[in-house]
Structure formats: C-alpha cells, structure tokens
C-alpha cells in the first residue's frame, strides 16, 4: 500500500469533571467522550524521499514538528527505522483550539495510516500506547465511540453506544488556551461536579433526555466568565429547541443535542442569523469504531 485516505473524527464531552490537581501539576479527570461525525481528512502517501512533508488547507496550521501529525509519523519512523518518507495533505474542518480534539484525532489517524502503509502490524492497543506519548486524547481518538476517560484522560473504558441524535456545533471567533483554563480552575467545597456515574447509567439505558439533563462541564466555571459569548451561544441553542447545550472540553466550542433533524436544522439557521459563531456545523453522534 502506497497511499491511504482517512477521516479524523472530532469529539465532544458529554460530561467533564476534574477530580483534583495532582502533585505533578496534571489534573485528574473523569470525562465521557463521544465521537461526532465531523472530521478532518488526511491523505497520506509513501515517498521514496525520506522525511515528513505536511501541507494543509489552513495557512495558520503548523506543518513542522509542532504539528501532532508530524510527531505521530516521527514516533513510528524512529521506532521502526523507516527509511522512506511520507507526504500528508491535511484538510482541516474541525475547529482549531476548540475543545474538540482536532489535533489529537489527526495524530491518531496518522498513527493508524502509518501502521497500514508501512505494514507495521501494530494492534489498536499498541497504537494507543504510542499515542499517549503525543497527547492524552490520542488513545481515545484511536478507540472512538462512547468512552469513560479517567486519570489524565488516558485511562479508557468503552461504554455502550450513545443514543443517535443530531448535534449542532458552534464555535465563536475566539480561541481558548487549555492551559489558561486549567490553571484558573478553582476546586473547593463549593465546586459543582457533574454526576459522571449517573451519565454512564443514562447512556446504558439509552435515555437521551436523562443524558442531556445530567450533562455537565466543570471547566465552564472558568471559561464562561472569561468569554461570556459561550453562554450566549448556549442560550441561543436552548431557545432554538436543544434538549441541552454545553461547552466541549476547555472550549470555546458549544454543542447542542436535539431530538429531531427538523428542529436541529432550524437551530442551525437561527445560529447563522445570530452572528454569534464563526464556525457552525450540523452533525450527528458517531458510533462506529475502528477495530
């Protein structure tokens, strides 16, 4: 195999709780991760010329060692002493720096693609072990579907598939630093923690309204006061008929879950008219896993 074309799917967090700050500075989390049908595309080609060449449709996306795709390729090239090179055309659609694991998903797709075109015979578990060296979300992006993530996000438990439903994604003009959000998170007796265990039960019961009702993201306590437009986007989605709306990851992307396609389409139009968001996508829950 000399080339492969892959979809790198985005994620949302149906629940995000931060349990504590560890001694090493990392935060211990409990999150429900969910893949959605919004994706970047990677066209990977084996080249005789050694090295890693990346080009992208977005001028501001790095194409050097600062790109996680580059890091993913390099990890496997170094480990397996690959003498040939790779050329990657990275077509970005997932909002950048937006709490949707775009970069991590691209890296996961690159690991998967390298494994295929160079016939490295690594299992998904072995790819996940290498992925965690690139970023905490990379193993999940290889797993896909519905999962409980614990530790710093690398301890994964596959959950039953989430109920299929339309998902509206809206990202405002701003970008948010994950580092800033975690550094400014105050965990004390007054912190309201989402009930992650209850969310797991709701997912097992396939109860969409219960899932929506128990969604929660502790990082909103930092990001929303700093960027009130996030609250405005959430409110706009609720007014347009979302069962619930929440920020994904550390933000600033907001998503809403909808009961039916018709309401979701109207909400999409309403969001466009509101002018609150720069990037708006109507997508859906994605449950197929790459095995």
């Amino acid at each position: 195999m000399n080339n492969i074309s892959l979809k790198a799917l985005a994620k949302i967090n149906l629940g995000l709780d931060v349990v504590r700050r560890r001694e090493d500075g990392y935060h211990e989390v409990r999150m429900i991760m969910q893949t959605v049908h919004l994706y970047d595309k990677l066209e990977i080609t084996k080249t005789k010329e050694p090295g890693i060449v990346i080009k992208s449709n977005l001028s501001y996306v790095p194409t050097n060692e600062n790109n996680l795709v580059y890091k993913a390729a390099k990890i496997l090239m170094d480990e397996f002493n690959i003498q040939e090179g790779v050329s990657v055309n990275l077509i970005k659609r997932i909002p950048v720096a937006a709490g949707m694991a775009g970069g991590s998903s691209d890296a996961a797709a690159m690991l998967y693609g390298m494994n295929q075109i160079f016939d490295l015979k690594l299992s998904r578990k072995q790819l996940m072990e290498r992925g965690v060296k690139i970023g905490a979300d990379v193993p999940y992006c290889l797993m896909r579907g519905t999962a409980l993530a614990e530790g710093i996000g690398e301890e994964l438990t596959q959950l039953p598939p989430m109920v299929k439903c339309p998902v509206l994604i809206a990202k405002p003009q701003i970008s948010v630093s994950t580092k800033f959000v975690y550094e400014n998170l105050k965990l004390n007796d007054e912190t309201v923690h989402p009930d992650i265990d209850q969310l797991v039960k709701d997912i097992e019961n396939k109860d969409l309204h219960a899932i929506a009702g128990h969604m929660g993201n502790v990082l909103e306590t930092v990001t929303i006061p700093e960027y009130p437009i996030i609250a405005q986007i959430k409110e706009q989605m609720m007014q347009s008929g979302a069962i619930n709306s929440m920020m994904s990851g550390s933000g600033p992307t907001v998503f809403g879950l909808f009961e039916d396609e018709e309401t979701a389409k109207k909400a999409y139009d309403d969001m466009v008219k509101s002018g609150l968001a720069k990037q708006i996508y109507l997508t859906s829950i994605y449950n197929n896993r790459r095995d």
Side-chain angles (χ1 to χ4, degrees):
M1 185 188 283
N2 287 318
N3 52 65
I4 190 169
S5 181
L6 297 167
K7 291 175 181 177
L9 281 88
K11 65 86 185 162
I12 55 174
N13 299 93
L14 297 170
L16 195 164
D17 191 18
V18 179
V19 182
R20 67 183 184 100
R21 187 188 171 108
R22 304 193 320 188
E23 292 68 35
D24 60 8
Y26 282 100
H27 287 79
E28 206 162 285
V29 295
R30 294 192 82 220
M31 307 184 287
I32 307 281
M33 314 276 266
Q34 175 59 53
T35 313
V36 292
H37 214 294
L38 170 64
Y39 55 85
D40 293 342
K41 205 169 178 188
L42 279 82
E43 295 163 350
I44 308 165
T45 305
K46 191 193 290 187
T47 60
K48 286 180 181 162
E49 204 58 38
I52 303 157
V53 177
I54 302 170
K55 58 178 183 173
S56 174
N57 61 320
L58 299 181
S59 57
Y60 54 84
V61 169
T63 54
N64 56 14
E65 62 277 3
N66 295 322
N67 191 310
L68 298 188
V69 167
Y70 190 104
K71 290 180 181 176
K74 186 147 179 21
I75 275 180
L76 295 181
M77 281 183 161
D78 290 351
E79 181 181 349
F80 290 91
N81 194 28
I82 294 167
Q83 298 303 309
E84 296 150 296
V86 283
S87 167
V88 186
N89 183 24
L90 173 59
I91 302 153
K92 293 288 297 173
R93 285 181 77 240
I94 302 169
V96 176
M100 298 194 76
S104 297
S105 191
D106 295 343
M110 191 66 196
L111 289 173
Y112 181 87
M114 292 282 290
N115 191 41
Q116 295 293 312
I117 63 174
F118 291 104
D119 196 24
L120 304 179
K121 297 183 169 55
L122 294 170
S123 67
R124 188 175 67 178
K125 186 171 181 292
Q126 289 171 319
L127 288 175
M128 287 164 72
E129 284 163 4
R130 286 150 180 84
V132 77
K133 296 172 190 168
I134 303 164
D137 282 346
V138 177
Y140 166 73
C141 292
L142 279 154
M143 178 189 268
R144 294 178 166 179
T146 314
L148 171 67
E150 297 174 286
I152 59 165
E154 86 293 7
E155 294 170 25
L156 297 167
T157 307
Q158 192 86 57
L159 297 176
M162 161 73 180
V163 187
K164 287 262 188 183
C165 69
V167 182
L168 182 61
I169 308 279
K171 179 190 181 271
Q173 182 75 46
I174 56 169
S175 289
V176 172
S177 156
T178 301
K179 190 168 179 279
F180 167 84
V181 175
Y182 276 97
E183 280 176 356
N184 287 276
L185 179 65
K186 307 275 189 291
L187 293 175
N188 53 41
D189 294 343
E190 290 169 29
T191 305
V192 179
H193 294 274
D195 192 340
I196 301 296
D197 292 329
Q198 185 56 53
L199 255 175
V200 171
K201 285 177 191 159
D202 298 336
I203 289 165
E204 287 167 351
N205 294 333
K206 302 212 174 301
D207 186 335
L208 182 58
H209 280 268
I211 292 164
H214 290 119
M215 287 190 333
N217 182 348
V218 80
L219 299 182
E220 286 188 342
T221 58
V222 180
T223 316
I224 288 179
E226 193 70 22
Y227 304 101
I229 194 166
I230 294 168
Q232 291 174 261
I233 293 174
K234 284 178 63 175
E235 183 57 36
Q236 174 64 50
M237 286 194 189
M238 295 302 289
Q239 283 175 3
S240 295
I243 313 171
N244 203 355
S245 176
M246 193 173 82
M247 184 179 82
S248 185
S250 54
T253 300
V254 174
F255 69 91
L257 301 184
F258 290 81
E259 208 155 14
D260 61 85
E261 200 70 34
E262 200 177 320
T263 310
K265 280 178 181 164
K266 185 186 175 301
Y268 175 92
D269 293 339
D270 292 346
M271 187 61 69
V272 171
K273 284 177 199 153
S274 76
L276 291 168
K278 188 190 176 193
Q279 287 172 278
I280 308 164
Y281 297 100
L282 182 54
T283 181
S284 59
I285 296 294
Y286 181 95
N287 282 322
N288 292 1
R289 301 208 305 276
R290 184 197 283 141
D291 290 312

